[in-house]
Amino acid sequence: RTKGRSIGAGDWESTAGGESAHIAVDPLNPDIVYGGSYGGFLTRVDHKLKTTRAINIYPDNPMGHGAEGMKYRFQWNFPIFFSPHDPKVLYAASNHLHKTTNEGQSWELISPDLTTNDPDKLKSSGGPITQDNTGVEYYCTIFAAAESPVAEGLLWVGSDDGLIHISRNGGENWTDVTPGHMPKWLMINSIEPHPRKAGTCYVAGTLYKTGDFRPYLYKTSDYGQTWKKIVDGIPGEHFTRVLRADPAVDGLLYAGTESGMYISYNDGEQWYPMQLNLPIVPITDLTIKDNNLIAATQGRGLWIIDDLTVIHQAIKLENKSDDILYQPMDSWRYRGTQNKKNKHAGLNHPGGVLVNYYLKEWKEKDTLTFTILTDGGDTIRTYSTHAQNKYDKLEDIKEGANMWNWNMKYPDAKKFDGMILWWGSMRGPTAIPGNYNIAMSHNGHTNTQPFAIIADPTLPNTQTDYQKQFDFIQSINNKITEAHEVIIEIREVKSALDKYKDIVTDHKAIIQEIESIDSTISDIEKQLYQIKNKSNQDPLNFPIRLTNKLAHLNSLTQIGDFPPTDGAIEVKDVLVSQIDEQLDLYNYIKTERIPALNHAIRNAQIDYIILKK
């Protein structure tokens, strides 16, 4: 995500390694990244200090040499990963598995050769005219490796030449657990230990280089003693590259193939297409972070399903025939809006709370309403298909699955027709971090779900900072609304006074009072708002008045997520005092002089309808 409108070059920076291999981010310091490339190249980059250090396991340059002469053979995208149990342990793989506990200063060999080590495959690459030995071409290497997230020291390793090994004691002893029914030379493309079950692991393999495009997915539940092939539902030529297990729901699996995405709800017994709006492209890798599913494609694209909790909740639903309001996932209070002009490249996550819901049926005449409430049940804002205000109107609703985004904004200050606002804002404040509720009403039925807004983790703001900003903007908007409601009422009163002038021509005292009231409230309106402004250029000639000045403070305070400055508070207090002076004067006219005028008119028994003689 970015705080701009779209993710661009300015949001990226080069990191460790080269063009090809894995990277591993230090669990204790995200500014430190380890990355590899071909030839066993491995670097440690500190993004904060802007330093890079080469920490190759065995820095013997293989350029020009065949694989047969290498002490260690490295793929050009060899595995690099941290232990989920000890953040000081970093693993890397050649045809052996290695680990370091001192950031690459020294490396420990923790396995024998875990490949076939077939001499026929360990030869110089290239033809009779030009050799092609850059270190990229080496075979019989470890291609996938992982440590179990639930059992420390339980290591799973797969090679590009068709072997799977396991160690249950951190590499002291290794066992070949390759399935006997698995094809020879199957490249183990990914290994996925179960997130909660130590003995369970999933493997994805490919054999397309031999002309075999069939999918190969395997599962073991007994530390590799037995394996089951799990590919039902995946077409015969959609060869498989990766399988990942959802950490939140047992049996929920995602598979990436050469021809798109698949999902299984029953631990691989049956697979279903999960393409949605994703193009038919090779899915080379998948990962899950904070209930978001992230897919890497062969076209170097990154695609994200923002909210897996919808799938999690749908699986558990007992009655799937009614309208459904899913509980929104926790939402970051994070600036940045979606760039709608470009639907794919650089797409930014929309800022706000994503609300997923399902309508059993939908007719255009139906009314759908969303009500946002505080944790205590107070209404913040209501949105409806029949709202008159375009900002509160729900649109593009269809039968079935829908998504709506609440922008976390409270209602705006009140506007009036023809108003010109110069360098100001009347937008409502952004909801502060905390707990909220959303209610969905459709055809007489209401569903309610809780949700949370979480503070931007990149900011140093305290809850008090957010509250001060919120209270300041809300108080500004409340005062603007109060003043604008008076302006609207003043215009109604002036219209009524104008209509009555022609009726009371023979009553000079009443006419004088009407004209006096009209003049006074007209002056109040002019103090509150510059009535001469008819376009955005007019304020250059006609100075803005009190409510526009107050709206300018709103605009300034909504730049960033910070409490108001002392200067902003001082100016607000001055402006509010000046506005209140005008409002008090109008309130006197409204409660004293207008009732007195009405009383005088009634006593004069003036006819309202005058017939010409």
Side-chain angles (χ1 to χ4, degrees), residues 135-147:
V136 172
E137 302 78 9
Y138 293 172
Y139 191 56
C140 301
T141 64
I142 293 173
F143 199 77
E147 183 177 6

Side-chain angles (χ1 to χ4, degrees), residues 233-279:
I234 301 177
E237 291 196 349
H238 288 198
F239 64 83
T240 43
R241 292 182 176 273
V242 59
L243 187 157
R244 300 296 180 205
D246 195 305
V249 178
D250 276 345
L252 183 57
L253 306 179
Y254 310 97
T257 77
E258 182 68 6
S259 302
M261 277 290 302
Y262 289 85
I263 186 171
S264 174
Y265 305 102
N266 53 7
D267 215 23
E269 293 295 322
Q270 183 69 36
W271 293 92
Y272 302 92
M274 195 190 184
Q275 206 61 27
L276 302 176
N277 63 327
L278 181 68

Side-chain angles (χ1 to χ4, degrees), residues 70-301:
M70 292 296 102
K71 180 175 182 179
Y72 300 123
R73 298 183 298 274
F74 289 91
Q75 258 280 350
W76 71 334
N77 49 352
F78 62 91
I80 307 166
F81 59 100
F82 275 95
S83 168
H85 305 281
D86 185 347
K88 289 293 186 180
V89 173
L90 175 68
Y91 297 100
S94 57
N95 49 324
H96 301 258
L97 192 62
H98 313 260
K99 80 171 184 179
T100 179
T101 57
N102 54 14
E103 301 183 332
Q105 176 62 38
S106 61
W107 290 89
E108 178 185 353
L109 184 66
I110 62 169
S111 84
D113 190 325
L114 298 179
T115 74
T116 63
N117 197 29
D118 185 351
D120 290 340
K121 308 296 188 298
L122 305 178
K123 295 180 179 180
S124 178
S125 175
I129 298 175
T130 302
Q131 296 296 291
D132 191 22
N133 292 309
T134 65
V136 172
E137 302 78 9
Y138 293 172
Y139 191 56
C140 301
T141 64
I142 293 173
F143 199 77
E147 183 177 6
S148 167
V150 291
E152 186 171 3
L154 176 55
L155 298 167
W156 299 86
V157 171
S159 70
D160 60 3
D161 57 355
L163 296 183
I164 301 174
H165 285 82
I166 183 176
S167 173
R168 299 178 66 173
N169 52 13
E172 292 183 17
N173 304 100
W174 289 89
T175 303
D176 185 342
V177 292
T178 308
H181 51 85
M182 191 174 77
K184 192 175 183 181
W185 308 119
L186 183 76
M187 184 167 81
I188 307 304
N189 210 70
S190 78
I191 281 186
E192 177 77 350
H194 195 283
R196 282 173 299 281
K197 300 175 182 177
T200 300
C201 187
Y202 307 91
V203 168
T206 69
L207 205 57
Y208 67 91
K209 295 174 187 176
T210 69
D212 184 349
F213 298 131
R214 287 175 292 181
Y216 291 103
L217 301 175
Y218 296 91
K219 171 195 170 185
T220 179
S221 300
D222 52 12
Y223 296 93
Q225 295 182 52
T226 60
W227 293 85
K228 181 179 181 180
K229 191 176 181 182
I230 50 171
V231 295
D232 285 353
I234 301 177
E237 291 196 349
H238 288 198
F239 64 83
T240 43
R241 292 182 176 273
V242 59
L243 187 157
R244 300 296 180 205
D246 195 305
V249 178
D250 276 345
L252 183 57
L253 306 179
Y254 310 97
T257 77
E258 182 68 6
S259 302
M261 277 290 302
Y262 289 85
I263 186 171
S264 174
Y265 305 102
N266 53 7
D267 215 23
E269 293 295 322
Q270 183 69 36
W271 293 92
Y272 302 92
M274 195 190 184
Q275 206 61 27
L276 302 176
N277 63 327
L278 181 68
I280 300 296
V281 290
I283 307 300
T284 54
D285 204 356
L286 296 168
T287 192
I288 298 167
K289 180 176 174 62
D290 297 335
N291 288 322
N292 300 292
L293 178 63
I294 307 164
T297 74
Q298 191 79 326
R300 299 189 181 184

Side-chain angles (χ1 to χ4, degrees), residues 444-462:
H445 299 285
T446 299
N447 296 319
T448 303
Q449 290 284 4
F451 67 92
I453 295 176
I454 304 173
D456 182 346
T458 68
L459 297 179
N461 299 42
T462 65

